Amino acid sequence: MKTLDCSKARDNDVAHEHNETRPGEGYPASSGLSRWIWIGLALIAGAVAALSFVYVKQRSSPSPAVPAPLTSFEGSETDPALSPDGERIAFVWDGGTGGPFELYVLEIDTRNPIALTSGLRSARHPAWSPDGRNIVFLRTLEGGDGEVVVIPARGGSEIRLSSLTDVHFLGVDWSPDGKHLALVDKGRPDESESIYLFSIEEETKQRLTTPLTAGSGDRNPVFSGDGRFLAFVRWWEGNRNEIYVLDLDQGHQRLVANFDGQTRGLDWLPDDSTLVFSAQWRGTLGLWRLPIEHGEPARLNYGENALGVTVSRSPSRLAFSQRHRDSNIWRVRGPAVTEPSPPS
């Protein structure tokens, strides 16, 4: 297996550094992280996203899961990814400015975020290595192309692993054995997006899926915990979505769900027999549970307006980003008052 020694890599993609940065500590979080979003009387409102998490309970649990907020920063936080031990969460945040998304890691117990990237191009879709030491993510480039980058989870230099060709449907996941990545790419710019298996040791890509027609594309690849299966979403024009499970040993894929809606996130529950996904479906945006063996999707009792979703195995935690309205009160100077003219 190829060793990812991030400490020796050259970071050519970081446009600038903060003066406060010390090697290995990551970029300090902006002071904007200390400001909480107040939702109340509104004159101007915009859609933002924040992170919440719950403990994944067994079906027989008598008490319902109650989400607890993880972040409430100014702006949008999305693309959550729980560490394998469930103690940290990686996510991207636009800094409250609507600018490029940067990669952060948050200690769930201390709520102390560390910025790992800083640049002019957005970082998206982080995924953890199985040992929790590194994070792989995707960076958007000019012209619609992208690249696959890995960085130490505690901060450090980046390693560029691969390029991506004109990809619109993004997603990446790290295999449980640490040897491969599942990612979205194209063989040629005029092809639909497919799922590829990237060998970290050989630095080669193997196509795993092929959409049947134009106007479709595959995204959201996620490995099962035992590494035997890969779930993914196939998008069609008109927002029709299909969820497939690919047997990596046998090479055949099986359709497990087909619906008219937009899937925003996908992951496995710890039993490796059930998927959880976030989707705009049946008139609502929320979280759904899907057994892969002859099951029907069932709406969870939490996760309204959920976007991305992520699950850790031990402890069993589930985190999701949630879209809501950021409403603020603005003050402006009133119109000028003209003094009345004295009587003549």
Side-chain angles (χ1 to χ4, degrees), residues 48-49 78 264-265 278-279 285 287 303 305-309 320-323:
V48 298
T78 190
R264 306 301 182 92
S278 55
L285 177 60
L287 290 176
N305 293 324
L307 300 175
V309 61
F320 58 91
S321 56
Q322 186 176 47
R323 186 174 64 188

Side-chain angles (χ1 to χ4, degrees), residues 235-297:
W235 282 54
W236 297 83
E237 288 184 350
N239 293 328
R240 181 164 66 91
N241 279 192
E242 298 171 337
I243 298 178
Y244 286 87
V245 172
L246 172 65
D247 187 321
L248 294 172
D249 293 329
Q250 302 298 323
H252 61 78
Q253 63 189 39
R254 180 163 52 93
L255 177 67
V256 295
N258 183 0
F259 56 91
D260 291 325
Q262 299 179 7
T263 304
R264 306 301 182 92
L266 178 70
D267 207 350
W268 294 82
L269 291 184
D271 61 7
D272 284 338
S273 67
T274 308
L275 295 167
V276 61
F277 64 96
S278 55
Q280 178 77 40
W281 187 30
R282 294 177 179 173
T284 183
L285 177 60
L287 290 176
W288 306 81
R289 182 182 187 135
L290 174 65
I292 63 173
E293 295 292 342
H294 311 294
E296 290 292 329

Side-chain angles (χ1 to χ4, degrees), residues 2-338:
K2 180 179 178 180
T3 301
L4 296 175
D5 187 359
C6 296
S7 63
K8 298 180 181 179
R10 294 177 59 192
D11 185 3
N12 295 324
D13 302 305
V14 176
H16 63 276
E17 296 184 353
H18 295 282
N19 294 331
E20 301 90 346
T21 302
R22 293 188 294 272
E25 293 186 358
Y27 294 96
S30 165
S31 60
L33 292 173
S34 63
R35 296 196 295 269
W36 289 75
I37 297 175
W38 291 95
I39 302 178
L41 180 62
L43 295 182
I44 298 178
V48 298
L51 304 180
S52 299
F53 82 94
V54 299
Y55 285 96
V56 180
K57 298 177 180 292
Q58 301 297 323
R59 297 181 187 179
S60 59
S61 175
S63 58
V66 179
L70 277 176
T71 69
S72 189
F73 308 149
E74 183 178 353
S76 294
E77 310 97 67
T78 190
D79 295 350
L82 282 164
S83 62
D85 61 7
E87 299 302 322
R88 292 171 290 169
I89 187 167
F91 64 97
V92 300
W93 179 49
D94 69 356
T97 65
F101 282 93
E102 302 296 350
L103 176 61
Y104 287 79
V105 169
L106 180 75
E107 299 279 351
I108 290 178
D109 289 338
T110 65
R111 308 294 172 91
N112 180 33
I114 297 176
L116 300 185
T117 66
S118 179
L120 300 178
R121 298 292 176 184
S122 286
R124 298 300 304 267
H125 304 281
W128 292 79
S129 62
D131 60 9
R133 296 175 59 187
N134 296 304
I135 296 173
V136 64
F137 65 94
L138 306 178
R139 175 177 282 127
T140 58
L141 300 178
E142 188 175 2
D145 291 342
E147 58 185 3
V148 184
V149 182
V150 66
I151 192 169
R154 301 291 182 183
S157 298
E158 300 177 0
I159 292 179
R160 181 182 180 273
L161 296 182
S162 180
S163 61
L164 299 173
T165 303
D166 190 29
V167 171
H168 298 92
F169 296 156
L170 297 180
V172 63
D173 197 27
W174 211 312
S175 66
D177 64 7
K179 296 180 179 180
H180 297 90
L181 301 175
L183 50 84
V184 180
D185 201 2
K186 293 180 178 181
R188 300 190 311 268
D190 59 345
E191 291 183 347
S192 298
E193 290 86 356
S194 300
I195 308 298
Y196 285 77
L197 190 68
F198 176 80
S199 170
I200 296 175
E201 180 178 3
E202 302 294 336
E203 299 184 2
T204 57
K205 294 177 186 175
Q206 173 191 352
R207 188 195 295 265
L208 295 180
T209 71
T210 304
L212 299 179
T213 63
S216 63
D218 296 339
R219 65 176 300 179
N220 299 106
V222 283
F223 288 99
S224 60
D226 57 14
R228 295 176 53 204
F229 302 102
L230 184 79
F232 66 93
V233 177
R234 178 161 292 167
W235 282 54
W236 297 83
E237 288 184 350
N239 293 328
R240 181 164 66 91
N241 279 192
E242 298 171 337
I243 298 178
Y244 286 87
V245 172
L246 172 65
D247 187 321
L248 294 172
D249 293 329
Q250 302 298 323
H252 61 78
Q253 63 189 39
R254 180 163 52 93
L255 177 67
V256 295
N258 183 0
F259 56 91
D260 291 325
Q262 299 179 7
T263 304
R264 306 301 182 92
L266 178 70
D267 207 350
W268 294 82
L269 291 184
D271 61 7
D272 284 338
S273 67
T274 308
L275 295 167
V276 61
F277 64 96
S278 55
Q280 178 77 40
W281 187 30
R282 294 177 179 173
T284 183
L285 177 60
L287 290 176
W288 306 81
R289 182 182 187 135
L290 174 65
I292 63 173
E293 295 292 342
H294 311 294
E296 290 292 329
R299 175 71 186 272
L300 299 183
N301 61 4
Y302 54 85
E304 182 180 4
N305 293 324
L307 300 175
V309 61
T310 176
V311 179
S312 66
R313 301 182 69 82
S314 180
S316 296
R317 283 174 165 171
L318 181 150
F320 58 91
S321 56
Q322 186 176 47
R323 186 174 64 188
H324 60 85
R325 286 287 181 180
D326 174 22
S327 302
N328 302 282
I329 299 173
W330 293 74
R331 184 182 65 180
V332 297
R333 184 181 298 277
V337 177
T338 303

